[in-house]
Amino acid sequence: MNASFRPRSRKFVGFTLVEMLTVIAIIGVIASILIPTISKIRATSQRTHCASNLRQIGIGINLYANEHEGVLPGGLNEGQNGLYKGESSGSLAAFIAPYVDGTLYKSGVSLKNELFVCPSWEALRVSGVCYAMNMRVPIDGGDTWIEPFGRATGSKKPIRLYQISDPLPNVPAIYEVDRKNIKANGGPIGQSATWDPVHGNVRNVLYFDGSVRTENVD
């Protein structure tokens, strides 16, 4: 008895070849839509995290000043990366540690405060520092400009918060470092930074009143 031969469609795990190719094409289309969206969401999340870091640092600065008769923490280095071995290291993290995470430094022990690490900067694996102190503010009605946090080396001491002439919401305290930022250009801080801001065309800035703004970069 001869059974008639009837060719069968090739199947892969319950799908015909045509169905499998269709599914692959659909997945490709969905991926092309989702990947940019996911990247944008991640970038927004990192920028928000960075702003939150700066906001907490701002709280620490103001709490320190409140407990030291208005005197700002310092003297400080211009660039800040959260590494410190005590206040003599010139790290803001050492001064505000008791106010932001309750950590007290121990002599000779190296510590790090993660608030001083921008997640976008960390993702790019950039060397150097991602945050820098504003070392030039107006006092005496704007006739004199001075380094508000003093200097870690030398005789320059931090000033009192009320000495700043301009309204505090108008005066930056800490800014993100990039080579488009004029304050960071030309020095060792700027040279180790990315050319463009790590958040694309915006930069997070902490002001002396504790507010953080995401500002467009020209």
Side-chain angles (χ1 to χ4, degrees):
M1 181 177 179
N2 294 326
S4 59
F5 176 77
R6 187 176 294 176
R8 296 183 178 181
S9 298
R10 186 175 298 175
K11 293 186 176 182
F12 295 90
V13 196
F15 290 95
T16 66
L17 180 59
V18 173
E19 290 170 337
M20 178 64 73
L21 293 175
T22 302
V23 170
I24 292 173
I26 293 172
I27 292 173
V29 171
I30 294 173
S32 67
I33 295 172
L34 288 180
I35 290 176
T37 302
I38 292 172
S39 297
K40 186 175 181 179
I41 292 172
R42 183 183 296 113
T44 300
S45 174
Q46 289 173 341
R47 186 175 70 242
T48 302
H49 189 168
C50 172
S52 176
N53 285 353
L54 287 173
R55 194 169 290 109
Q56 292 179 71
I57 292 171
I59 291 172
I61 291 174
N62 280 279
L63 288 174
Y64 178 95
N66 287 340
E67 289 196 1
H68 292 80
E69 300 181 347
V71 178
L72 291 166
L76 301 179
N77 298 317
E78 182 178 1
Q80 296 290 324
N81 60 9
L83 292 173
Y84 62 99
K85 285 186 178 181
E87 294 177 354
S88 61
S89 64
S91 174
L92 177 59
F95 288 90
I96 67 172
Y99 308 102
V100 295
D101 62 8
T103 301
L104 297 176
Y105 67 85
K106 298 178 181 179
S107 178
V109 178
S110 182
L111 299 173
K112 183 175 183 179
N113 190 322
E114 295 297 333
L115 290 178
F116 290 82
V117 180
C118 169
S120 293
W121 186 282
E122 189 173 44
L124 292 173
R125 299 182 182 278
V126 183
S127 61
V129 298
C130 52
Y131 297 133
M133 312 305 298
N134 180 10
M135 304 302 267
R136 191 170 183 268
V137 301
I139 63 171
D140 298 332
D143 294 332
T144 305
W145 292 76
I146 195 171
E147 297 174 347
F149 300 97
R151 283 282 182 176
T153 57
S155 59
K156 294 182 179 179
K157 303 298 182 183
I159 65 173
R160 285 182 165 83
L161 195 56
Y162 65 77
Q163 290 182 260
I164 299 175
S165 298
D166 289 350
L168 297 184
N170 298 339
V171 185
I174 301 178
Y175 53 89
E176 291 185 301
V177 176
D178 56 77
R179 294 178 67 184
K180 280 187 176 179
N181 188 332
I182 297 175
K183 297 183 183 70
N185 264 339
I189 296 175
Q191 291 172 1
S192 65
T194 57
W195 179 262
D196 294 306
V198 293
H199 300 304
N201 63 342
V202 296
R203 183 188 297 124
N204 286 327
V205 180
L206 168 69
Y207 285 77
F208 273 103
D209 69 336
S211 64
V212 176
R213 303 172 207 167
T214 301
E215 302 178 349
N216 290 325
V217 178
D218 296 331

